[in-house]
Amino acid sequence: MDSTTPKNSLVIKNLQVSIEGKEILRGVDLTVNSGEIHIIMGPNGSGKSTLCYALMGHPAYEITGGEVLFNGENILELSPDKRAHLGLFLGFQYPREVTGVTFGNFLRIASNNLQKNRDPSVKPLSPIQYYPVVQKAMNDMKLDKSFIGRSLNEGFSGGEKKRAEIIQMNLLKPKIAMLDEIDSGLDIDALKIVAEGIQKTFEEQNIGVLLITHYQRILNYLTPHFVHIMSKGKIIKSGDMALAHALEKEGYDQFITA
Amino acid sequence: MSNNTQDKLAQDLSTYKYGFSTDTKSVFKADKGLNREIVEAISKYKKEPQWMLDFRLNAYEIFKSKPMPTWGGKLSEIDFDNIHYYVKPSDRSMRDWADVPQDIKDTFDRLGVPEAERKFLAGSGAQFESEMVYHNLQDSLTKKGVIFEGIDDALKNHPDLFREHFATIVPPRDNKFAALNSAVWSGGSFIYVPKGVHIELPLQAYFRINSENMGQFERTLIIVDEEASVHYVEGCTAPTYSSDSLHSAVVEIIVKRGGKCQYTTIQNWSHNVYNLVTKRAKAMQDATMFWLDCNLGSKLTMKYPAVYLMEPGAKAEILSVAFAGSGQHQDAGAKIIHAAPNTTSSINAKSISKGSGRSTYRGLLKVYPGMKNCKSKVACDALMLDKESRSDTYPTMEVDEDEVSIEHEATVSKIGEEQMFYLMSRGLSEQEAATMIVNGFIEPIVKQLPMEYAIEMNRLIELEMEGAVG
């Protein structure tokens, strides 16, 4: 790990979130630093995905309490694009389709736009300059190069969409990346590719990763530094890989009822 | 109009970058209002033959006798008495850009017209107020017998060719505004492409209204002879005045056996122009007519490019984009008449409404009895950006033959919150995200444009998208 890279941190303090008046998160505390992989596990409906969406700034999620600091700056009043400019990224469980905007063009526009916002002195890359960059990232994720000219996510299979999300994460160079059930709906080969892609970006860019899942199996390919269990809108237990192993053996129940 | 709507309108108008006007001296300006004397004066001023004066006067009577259309957009606010029907900006049409009067040249320089000609056109024309002030064609094409001139010049220079085709596709009796145009027409392009000649680069004409309360009534006549081809592009802008202007053109096209014609419009009138245009083409055996019609500007546009498929093997394709911002109504569409067996057509119309804008697709597909083996595909898609925006679809189908293949689909969509959130999470602002969705929506049509125009279209969409989305 490059010790000269400044350390980035996402600090979540007592975060409370409601959707349409219904309380979903009841006080979440969590800190994610660059150079760390965190995994949040938990049963359906525990609020895992809500945490991601609220952190990225989805307008339907109402923050009713707590604070979220990105490198010390409160981000809760910022729109999603401003959070992205700071360095937050969300890999979606169900990425949206945009007709008529090619994957390659989208990546170039988004990447140039982010670079411009993060450092105005950086010159935008032309399609010719950007093409090899995308091609390499796609090659790493074993996504056929024909996808570069296809409409963003349109007609992509579930696995292709997930791989495309990891390519986006890799090229948009976030500081802290949240990945919402990035492993769901993947066969074993695709899971391996996705996990390796996360690991590679993590190592090369020294980012912080917050990965949401309710399956153990991604842990066969990815070693987290922290494992958290979420239930009923709170993180009820945190630990390391040992906690994940305990979960695998004994299930959620012992923790939830505890 | 509520204050809110007015503010929005003012805001929309302020984003229109062609809204400047230049101080020009006209050579002749007819008094406001329309009567027989004005019609006679225009004809006399142009030193036209008697048959044209008779044609105009007859058309004027038809115009008076026809009631205002009660369908489409709101036409009741047009004040026919408050319009200058003829404004002559300079003495004659020039072939050399340097000879165009300086004040007019400045206007077109600002619009990038001469630059475009140098870069990617086979020829270009420019109309200022009522007259073409400039027309030029590459010498190599002139030598091949191609004619590209102001239509008034063509009446003098090619009287037989002119008279053989003029008003044969759109007769004055067709509709009230075709009659008005026929009575007071002035300016427009005349194109003749001889047998077997293919013009590779587009020909372009640029139409500019500069005065307040101006009526522009150009007429364009394009004759594509057998096995020949041409791509004609028109663009248009006007300054933003507080009172309305009227643009009412007639476009007639004849595509003979095996010929091809593409007619591309990027309509970007300021938001105080009524744009009421009749465009129609006739395609003969194995001929292809392709309308690519983009409507971004104007207060109200009523325009339905039409193709009459007259002989077997004829093909028609109509692509249309309409963007209705606050205070605008785009009532646009397409008409296809299958008047021969074994003819093919397709229509793809995409409309976007923003703010209080309203877009209407109005189309006609007609297949006459006995016209077997006709094929047609009609698709219209609407995208609405705001809760208050409006979109309507009136796709009329009159199919009187069973042995045909007709497909029709229509979609209406709204920009979704989840789609916006997804794009914004990648760092795009709300406006950038919405613009990206809109540009993606019209991409299948924009990609049919020559590159320079595709870039221009995307830029115009970006300008139209300025201001809050929500």
Side-chain angles (χ1 to χ4, degrees), chain A residues 138-150:
Chain A
M138 291 175 75
N139 200 36
D140 288 346
M141 291 304 292
K142 302 194 169 47
L143 196 63
D144 188 87
K145 64 174 190 283
S146 66
F147 279 78
I148 207 163
R150 286 177 55 178

Side-chain angles (χ1 to χ4, degrees), chain A residues 56 58-59 80-81 84-85 89-90 92 95-97 99-101 106 113 153 165 168, chain B residues 417-419 421-430 432 436-437 439-441 443-444:
Chain A
M56 199 70 230
H58 192 293
D81 52 319
H85 296 168
F89 176 88
L90 173 58
F92 284 66
R96 296 289 151 169
E97 300 179 353
T99 307
V101 178
F106 169 72
N113 180 57
N153 294 324
E165 291 290 286
Q168 289 192 40
Chain B
E417 189 176 60
E418 299 304 325
Q419 206 180 16
F421 175 64
Y422 183 67
L423 293 178
M424 288 176 74
S425 78
R426 297 326 188 218
L428 301 177
S429 69
E430 190 173 19
E432 288 163 342
M436 181 177 267
I437 293 167
N439 275 329
F441 175 70
E443 188 271 347

Side-chain angles (χ1 to χ4, degrees), chain A residues 24-39:
Chain A
I24 309 289
L25 297 187
R26 300 158 195 263
V28 173
D29 291 281
L30 180 68
T31 297
V32 180
N33 296 307
S34 46
E36 297 173 358
I37 298 177
H38 292 249
I39 291 198

Side-chain angles (χ1 to χ4, degrees), chain A residues 188-209:
Chain A
I188 200 77
D189 293 332
L191 181 68
K192 200 162 168 250
I193 293 167
V194 164
E196 284 169 0
I198 297 168
Q199 186 71 35
K200 187 172 163 7
T201 305
F202 169 71
E203 286 171 8
E204 289 176 2
Q205 301 180 19
N206 188 33
I207 61 173
V209 174

